[in-house]
Amino acid sequence: MAQAAVGGKLDMTGAQVRSNNHGHRVVDLSDLETSIGYRLRLAQVALFSDFFRAFAALELRPAQFSALIVIGDNPGLNQSEVAASLGIQRANFVALIERLEARGLVERRPIDRRSYALHLTQPGEALLARARATQHELEARLERRLGPGGKAQLMDLLGRLA
């Protein structure tokens, strides 16, 4: 039986409940432990936690990093194209680009009256180079945790789900 601890020693009725060594209530998670979605969510939380720690000095969030990569690798795409490629809603993407633009990392160049091509600035290119190095270190740590052949297997399985 998979278990997780949560705070408290009594249930809502005031009855005693099982506790672990830290005095926290033991919760049965066995049905969730067999859920693909639950395991994926736990993995995502762990990965994002690592990401936020590693990227804190760069002041980049995952979506911002992804946007910088797409813009850096595909200069001249418009906002809708970048947002669609990343699966980000347009309204959310506009705010993301505005933050990157305010930091001087991205610039919008007019294509026509209604659309703008996105390009990295020199500071944006420099930050992206540092971010790619940070991402490479994160990926290397993950590959070590997965063991030989683990990354290829995981990528295959995730590709089947996507």
Side-chain angles (χ1 to χ4, degrees), residues 127-139:
L127 182 66
L128 180 55
R130 290 177 53 207
R132 285 184 195 266
T134 300
Q135 176 65 13
H136 180 72
E137 292 169 13
L138 277 175
E139 288 286 320

Side-chain angles (χ1 to χ4, degrees), residues 4 31 53 78 94 96 124 139:
D31 284 342
R53 267 193 306 278
N78 67 37
V94 169
L96 184 153
E139 288 286 320

